[in-house]
Amino acid sequence: MAEPILIVKNQKKYFPIKKNFFGKPTHFLRAVDDVSFTVEKGKTLGIVGESGCGKTTLGRTILRLHEITSGEVIYKGIDITKISKKELRKLRPKIQIIFQDPFSSLSPRLTVGEIIGEAVREHNIVPASEYKDYVMQIMKNCGLQPHYFERYPHEFSGGQRQRICIARALALKPDLVICDEPVSALDVSIQAQIINLLEDLQNNFGLAYIFISHDLSVIEHISHDVGVMYLGSMVEMAPKQAIFKNPLHPYTQALFSAIPIPDPKVRRNRIILDGDIPSPANPPKGCKFHTRCQYCHEICKTKIPELREIKKGHKVACHFAENFIEKNE
């Protein structure tokens, strides 16, 4: 087992939505609710779940773009949640993010060279004499032509803009990159190019990724381990092969049953969930999924299931996960 580069312990991020007369918060939206996981060096952890389950907030809280409510985020032995802003600024280059919308995350007033090189100059990544050559090399590594250096973001397609965002992140020599749905806004052919680029960069530079997506086929292709989120909580986590071969949580089973099969003669047994997703501002008691689960028992309505290891490396937050091992195997 490789050395963990990031350890997240019991991370919570609650947003206040109601205050009392004295201005003290009384009600909260539980965007991320007690999530724990590790990311190994040179590996990819895929985070998947329905829209609104807290995937993006999880990534932004790790970076302290949102201040954490409680928990620990330990990067190479340093708890990011407890260091000062000055110390955090020194650590910033090592943990980068690629945003979902490449256009809104790029300044329209800066050229491509300035966008990629701005943080390089700010953090003194290379001497001033090597600055332009370094930026040009980063652009080459990300499939960007040298003459793009003086051009502006509006002159590019969506795929090219995302390459610029990747180059901007890579320029700071990070160890960990949080990819927040980096291909969801792109055409399928361009998605493949960006995913292949990310894999090549990982192999060449030993990068670790937290890859956030709702596209299960992309997660299956790029990830080494997969975590499934529901209503702010992690309900299942396992190596990619194990979780796609034998999902043990009822929500994961329903989610994976929606993956299309590229063969018109093969029909998958779809699991249709009843009801709507509960509000994260008022989650159900006990297991958060019990209101939509066809296997719900009385204990599910009152007791919160612990994320526990059912098989080697396979963790599930379900009181009856063992039943699905017998059923599926």
Side-chain angles (χ1 to χ4, degrees):
M1 185 175 177
E3 178 187 353
I5 194 171
L6 185 77
I7 301 172
V8 176
K9 294 182 180 179
N10 308 113
Q11 179 178 326
K12 295 182 180 180
K13 177 57 188 175
Y14 295 173
F15 293 99
I17 56 175
K18 205 174 199 181
K19 298 180 180 180
N20 62 17
F21 178 78
F22 301 100
K24 184 178 180 180
T26 55
H27 289 79
F28 298 88
L29 187 147
R30 301 181 179 186
V32 180
D33 196 8
D34 201 21
V35 171
S36 300
F37 59 85
T38 61
V39 182
E40 297 176 12
K41 184 177 181 181
K43 301 290 185 180
T44 300
L45 171 65
I47 303 291
V48 68
E50 293 171 287
S51 296
C53 71
K55 305 186 298 293
T56 294
T57 304
L58 174 70
R60 288 173 178 251
T61 307
I62 289 171
L63 283 165
R64 273 183 64 179
L65 298 179
H66 298 311
E67 289 296 335
I68 195 169
T69 300
S70 68
E72 298 177 351
V73 179
I74 301 169
Y75 167 76
K76 290 187 174 180
I78 302 170
D79 189 347
I80 297 173
T81 65
K82 292 182 172 61
I83 60 177
S84 66
K85 289 186 177 181
K86 185 177 180 180
E87 292 172 310
L88 180 63
R89 187 178 180 278
K90 293 178 182 178
L91 202 62
R92 284 278 185 216
K94 294 299 180 183
I95 309 177
Q96 289 294 298
I97 185 169
I98 300 169
F99 294 100
Q100 179 177 359
D101 183 359
F103 190 63
S104 64
S105 65
L106 299 174
S107 171
R109 298 183 179 184
L110 300 180
T111 64
V112 170
E114 290 170 331
I115 288 169
I116 297 171
E118 184 180 26
V120 172
R121 185 181 281 126
E122 185 70 22
H123 290 279
N124 298 314
I125 302 297
V126 293
S129 59
E130 302 174 16
Y131 167 78
K132 186 168 183 178
D133 290 338
Y134 177 76
V135 173
M136 295 290 276
Q137 183 59 48
I138 293 294
M139 290 174 60
K140 182 180 178 181
N141 292 341
C142 295
L144 297 168
Q145 299 296 323
H147 62 272
Y148 292 174
F149 191 90
E150 298 294 339
R151 291 172 64 180
Y152 290 86
H154 71 271
E155 301 178 62
F156 297 94
S157 66
Q160 289 171 322
R161 289 175 193 151
Q162 198 60 283
R163 287 178 184 270
I164 296 168
C165 294
I166 294 170
R168 178 176 59 184
L170 188 67
L172 295 174
K173 299 181 180 178
D175 297 319
L176 173 67
V177 180
I178 297 172
C179 306
D180 182 14
E181 304 205 32
V183 296
S184 64
L186 307 177
D187 294 336
V188 174
S189 60
I190 305 302
Q191 284 186 14
Q193 294 176 20
I194 297 300
I195 290 167
N196 291 336
L197 171 62
L198 289 170
E199 287 184 323
D200 290 342
L201 294 172
Q202 185 174 57
N203 294 331
N204 294 336
F205 300 102
L207 299 173
Y209 293 139
I210 296 176
F211 196 96
I212 297 166
S213 180
H214 61 265
D215 190 327
L216 292 165
S217 58
V218 172
I219 288 289
E220 184 176 14
H221 179 77
I222 199 170
S223 302
H224 296 93
D225 299 290
V226 177
V228 182
M229 288 187 70
Y230 180 79
L231 213 64
S233 299
M234 196 71 74
V235 297
E236 186 164 1
M237 180 168 285
K240 174 182 66 177
Q241 292 83 357
I243 198 168
F244 275 91
K245 182 181 179 182
N246 184 21
L248 299 180
H249 194 282
Y251 173 67
T252 312
Q253 293 169 8
L255 203 63
F256 286 11
S257 74
I259 301 175
I261 300 175
D263 186 344
K265 296 179 181 179
V266 178
R267 299 185 69 85
R268 189 188 294 275
N269 293 324
R270 283 293 310 275
I271 301 173
I272 308 299
L273 297 176
D274 295 328
D276 298 321
I277 303 175
S279 168
N282 187 27
K285 293 181 180 179
C287 175
K288 293 180 179 179
F289 186 62
H290 85 259
T291 57
R292 305 173 74 194
C293 182
Q294 59 180 319
Y295 307 106
C296 177
H297 292 68
E298 281 303 314
I299 190 174
C300 304
K301 299 176 183 178
T302 56
K303 186 178 179 181
I304 299 173
E306 179 187 352
L307 186 68
R308 56 199 174 93
E309 192 168 56
I310 304 298
K311 297 191 292 183
K312 186 177 180 181
H314 198 144
K315 297 180 179 180
V316 188
C318 178
H319 295 300
F320 302 97
E322 288 84 358
N323 295 346
F324 299 113
I325 297 177
E326 296 172 359
K327 183 177 179 180
N328 292 334
E329 295 185 354

